[in-house]
Amino acid sequence: MKKIWCMLLMICSVCAFSACSDDDDKQKDIAGGDKECPVTEIKMPDSAETGETVTITGKGFVTTAKLTLQNENKENLELDATFTTTEGTFTIPVNFEAGKYKVVLTQAGGKWVIGSIEIIVLKRELRVKQIVTNNGSSVVT
């Protein structure tokens, strides 16, 4: 009889602990609230170059939403993003530092980390095609 009670207790405890597991698929508000992210099916690139336009797609964006990039020091760098109900678009400024950034969505009174993106800084080279002198002659290089 003791063995049956022990087996029953084990089965009940396994069921109870699995029922208490948290749903990790839903993003919680990082601003301290319990709200779930209103945007679903979010897709974004893993990396982007400075000066490049980035599009994040998903369902549930509002036109008043804001996007910020958060660096490793937890500094928020606000982006000039435009939104429709299905996507947000922004251009990465040329003067951004390279590194991995968290993408933070601010919408409907909450803040959510919706992904991360690695910023790659392009090295820009200055090339001289033609030099014109004061006397009007030109030198082609």
Side-chain angles (χ1 to χ4, degrees), residues 2-127:
K2 261 185 174 177
K3 287 183 181 182
I4 293 174
W5 282 108
C6 286
M7 290 296 273
L8 187 58
L9 181 62
M10 258 182 12
I11 291 171
C12 288
S13 58
V14 166
C15 292
F17 286 120
S18 66
C20 294
S21 70
D22 193 13
D23 190 3
D24 292 333
D25 293 341
K26 305 208 176 185
Q27 297 164 324
K28 295 292 183 182
D29 186 356
I30 62 171
D34 288 337
K35 293 191 237 178
E36 293 176 6
C37 184
V39 181
T40 58
E41 299 178 27
I42 299 169
K43 291 188 174 108
M44 63 189 327
D46 293 330
S47 63
E49 298 172 347
T50 54
E52 183 178 348
T53 299
V54 177
T55 301
I56 299 173
T57 60
K59 293 182 180 178
F61 287 113
V62 294
T63 56
T64 57
K66 296 185 187 299
L67 279 178
T68 55
L69 295 181
Q70 188 179 73
N71 62 15
E72 294 171 352
N73 299 332
K74 301 211 181 225
E75 297 170 332
N76 289 320
L77 309 162
E78 192 166 333
L79 299 168
D80 185 22
T82 57
F83 288 92
T84 66
T85 57
T86 57
E87 69 181 23
T89 306
F90 63 93
T91 301
I92 298 171
V94 179
N95 60 349
F96 250 54
E97 292 182 20
K100 192 121 177 138
Y101 291 84
K102 291 180 183 177
V103 180
V104 179
L105 171 70
T106 304
Q107 176 176 308
K111 284 186 177 187
W112 297 272
V113 174
I114 59 171
S116 63
I117 191 166
E118 184 169 354
I119 305 297
I120 301 164
V121 176
L122 286 180
K123 295 198 183 230
R124 304 198 190 280
E125 294 181 15
L126 180 62
R127 292 185 177 209

